[in-house]
Amino acid sequence: MEISCTTLAAIHLPIRRNRGHLWKRGGQAAAVVGVGDDMDVTYNIQVQVGGITTPLIIDTGSSDLWILCDGCKDHCPITGVPLYSQASFTPTGQNIQLLYGDSRTGTHATGMIGTDTVSIAEMSVPGQYFAAVVDTNTTVLETGSAGILGLGFPPTSLIWRQLLASQSQQAMPSLPKRSMLDRRDSSLANPVDSFPTLGPLLTRLVTWKVLERPLVVATLQRDTISFSSNDGTLSLGALPFGLSDDLLTWVPVRTYTVAEGGLPPPPDAPNEVYPLVWEVLIGDVFFDGAKVPRSTLSPPSFGLSALIDTGNSLIRGPQDVLAYIYSRLNLDSAGTFDCANAHNLTFIIGGTPFAVDPRDFAHPAVVVPGTRYPDEAARCTPALAATDPPGAGGFLYSWSLGDPFLKSTMTAFYYGNMTHPSQDPARIGFMSMVPSDATSALEEAVDAAIADGGVFLSTSEPAPYATALRLAGTMASTADEPRMTQGSPRASSRAVPRLCPGASLWMYALMIVLYAGVLADVF
């Protein structure tokens, strides 16, 4: 396989609306691409598939790449989002149904498996397997995207598993998002050998060592309630400029043995144990300074862990633990609380507390435009939802930390050595982005909303989006950095210009990275 890149030197691509340009950095390749944010519900990046470039939602909670194609025209709403043209599609003759969510929020996407050239910025991968989808009950189009770019590991890729099964002549069961490999698949001969050829897009970039480092870094912007001073970014192959590993808290990704439903090791490395999803062990959880009790819905032997999921617009947790939190929120009969009351939800990860910004914990309750709050109090709902408890034969995580957590925490997903993880284990790095004035910023946003009839500020940004002044303030002052161009934002009812980054000192540490996109819990 030939993976195309303009140079083998390190690459950082400036944020541009149509195409990236190379930026030499030394090493192999690192890329910066633009991102969109649809009202903090979905985050996406522009990806070129065949002859079209279209936004795809970034999802660390899944592994497959799929895109709505022109065969969906009779079934899909007309939104103006470019659909994939099958003119350059090479079908395998196999159909597939991709399943997402859990028992509460399950959705599907159905289409044909085939290949085409897929590019992020100027890194092109020919012969990439993906699904050209003709039917789905997701709402990706309504949120400004044409599909999903899964950033997870191969074992949870339905496309990889189906291709592998067809080559080995063995039937493999379907794989919902919260289930895993059937233990009967342990007879497959060395499935990791297929990662470079049949694997998901990021898997192939990593295993072919195209990237400078096997790394993806996400920083999500806030485009509701109170706009964040940082731009949403996604970096491929390197940390953002100005940052080093020692500034992040790193924790290993949980691995699953074959007995736990994990991937069987290769014959030449029988002790290898593989990760399945971006799951990490966590310590205690605190709400408003008090430790919340552990859930009784799963055995303590499972350990407390969380999926770090950019494809989830909420924070999902055990139903009994969420009931405990709700009881301390003074919710009214509509399930809302006073937005001005700043609440603190904190997760201990790697011994370090990572708080959810109070502006991300609160979701504005739906109001009729023009109405006034009689009690002069804006109402919000908690950004929480219950999820299925872990159990035998399924994933072991109790929490799914989605966009509210990720808007508050820069997260680095390090793939490591994907075929022999013992040589370089996968891990996740975390760095808090919550400013010291988050509570006062929430209070100011609430005051502004009350004065405007209860309507909070919000906006949507197409992928990519950049403001020249903002980027100049966040770039390092070296001579070889590229010029930036500005995209045209797709504004919603309360769009306002973004603020200059000078208000937040941590933004200068970020320097330049790429706009991040994410799959929200539209599923």
Side-chain angles (χ1 to χ4, degrees):
M1 179 197 68
E2 175 186 356
I3 296 182
S4 169
C5 199
T6 301
T7 176
L8 289 180
I11 305 166
H12 267 268
L13 303 175
I15 299 171
R16 296 190 180 271
R17 183 153 185 78
N18 294 320
R19 59 185 291 273
H21 288 268
L22 299 181
W23 189 7
K24 294 181 180 179
R25 191 166 183 261
Q28 288 169 306
V32 176
V33 297
V35 202
D37 172 13
D38 189 88
M39 305 281 289
D40 291 358
V41 175
T42 61
Y43 293 84
N44 54 26
I45 65 171
Q46 292 281 2
V47 178
Q48 183 175 355
V49 183
I52 66 106
T53 299
T54 195
L56 298 182
I57 294 168
I58 297 296
D59 184 17
T60 58
S62 68
S63 303
D64 286 304
L65 166 62
W66 65 264
I67 181 171
L68 287 160
C69 67
D70 49 12
C72 186
K73 288 182 178 178
D74 295 336
H75 310 287
C76 295
I78 299 174
T79 63
V81 176
L83 302 182
Y84 171 66
S85 171
Q86 300 178 68
S88 56
F89 186 64
T90 303
T92 63
Q94 300 183 53
N95 294 326
I96 193 166
Q97 183 179 54
L98 303 168
L99 304 176
Y100 292 87
D102 55 23
S103 66
R104 304 165 189 265
T105 59
T107 55
H108 73 270
T110 303
M112 304 162 287
I113 299 176
T115 63
D116 206 337
T117 297
V118 178
S119 303
I120 299 179
E122 286 187 348
M123 293 189 295
S124 298
V125 180
Q128 177 61 48
Y129 288 96
F130 66 98
V133 167
V134 296
D135 175 66
T136 182
N137 62 349
T138 67
T139 57
V140 292
L141 281 175
E142 290 87 339
T143 55
S145 299
I148 296 173
L149 175 60
L151 299 178
F153 296 96
T156 54
S157 165
L158 284 170
I159 293 175
W160 173 77
R161 299 173 75 244
Q162 186 164 316
L163 292 169
L164 190 64
S166 66
Q167 290 192 0
S168 63
Q169 301 299 312
Q170 295 191 44
M172 298 182 73
S174 60
L175 182 67
K177 194 171 183 179
R178 275 210 66 127
S179 66
M180 56 184 58
L181 287 173
D182 190 303
R183 295 186 178 110
R184 292 171 296 178
D185 300 334
S186 59
S187 61
L188 292 175
N190 213 2
V192 299
D193 285 347
S194 67
F195 285 1
T197 53
L198 306 180
L201 178 64
L202 260 294
T203 296
R204 298 180 77 195
L205 289 173
V206 169
T207 55
W208 281 83
K209 299 182 180 179
V210 172
L211 299 177
E212 178 183 323
R213 297 181 67 188
L215 182 71
V216 172
V217 187
T219 308
L220 306 189
Q221 71 268 43
R222 180 186 310 103
D223 279 340
T224 57
I225 295 188
S226 172
F227 296 159
S228 55
S229 58
N230 66 293
D231 290 312
T233 63
L234 187 72
S235 294
L236 304 176
L239 289 176
F241 286 107
L243 295 184
S244 57
D245 283 8
D246 61 318
L247 297 177
L248 283 70
T249 297
W250 294 91
V251 293
V253 174
R254 187 172 200 163
T255 57
Y256 285 74
T257 65
V258 173
E260 293 170 325
L263 189 68
D268 61 345
N271 296 322
E272 292 289 358
V273 185
Y274 293 87
L276 295 181
V277 290
W278 290 109
E279 176 185 354
V280 296
L281 293 174
I282 63 176
D284 290 314
V285 180
F286 291 81
F287 183 70
D288 287 347
K291 184 170 70 173
V292 301
R294 295 286 181 98
S295 174
T296 60
L297 301 180
S298 58
S301 60
F302 284 179
L304 187 61
S305 63
L307 173 70
I308 311 301
D309 187 2
T310 60
N312 175 9
S313 66
L314 299 169
I315 294 175
R316 296 183 174 274
Q319 186 173 9
D320 54 347
V321 175
L322 296 193
Y324 173 89
I325 294 175
Y326 293 150
S327 69
R328 280 150 179 77
L329 281 173
N330 296 318
L331 300 176
D332 61 17
S333 58
T336 71
F337 63 91
D338 185 349
C339 300
N341 293 334
H343 293 285
N344 183 293
L345 179 62
T346 298
F347 296 87
I348 307 300
I349 304 176
T352 302
F354 289 93
V356 176
D357 191 302
R359 295 169 292 176
D360 299 324
F361 179 82
H363 275 186
V366 176
V367 297
V368 178
T371 59
R372 297 275 173 177
Y373 289 113
D375 57 356
E376 294 298 314
R379 308 302 296 180
C380 285
T381 58
L384 301 172
T387 190
D388 295 336
F395 290 125
L396 300 179
Y397 56 82
S398 299
W399 292 86
S400 176
L401 304 185
D403 299 342
F405 176 82
L406 294 167
K407 285 184 287 183
S408 304
T409 308
M410 187 189 77
T411 309
F413 300 89
Y414 183 85
Y415 291 86
N417 187 320
M418 300 187 73
T419 59
H420 294 79
S422 63
Q423 298 178 13
D424 188 13
R427 57 188 185 272
I428 304 180
F430 300 88
M431 187 174 80
S432 177
M433 311 294 282
V434 180
S436 59
D437 63 347
T439 297
S440 60
L442 173 63
E443 294 170 351
E444 292 174 3
V446 171
D447 290 342
I450 292 175
D452 197 25
V455 180
F456 283 91
L457 295 176
S458 62
T459 189
S460 293
E461 301 171 356
Y465 175 77
T467 302
L469 176 63
R470 178 186 221 26
L471 291 171
T474 62
M475 287 172 55
S477 57
T478 56
D480 62 342
E481 288 170 349
R483 295 178 179 271
M484 296 294 168
T485 59
Q486 181 175 350
S488 300
R490 173 169 55 88
S492 69
S493 60
R494 293 295 300 168
V496 299
R498 282 188 164 277
L499 303 176
C500 177
S504 296
L505 294 177
W506 58 261
M507 188 56 205
Y508 291 100
L510 281 182
M511 302 303 176
I512 178 175
V513 261
L514 70 95
Y515 275 66
V518 179
L519 166 64
D521 216 346
V522 294
F523 305 129

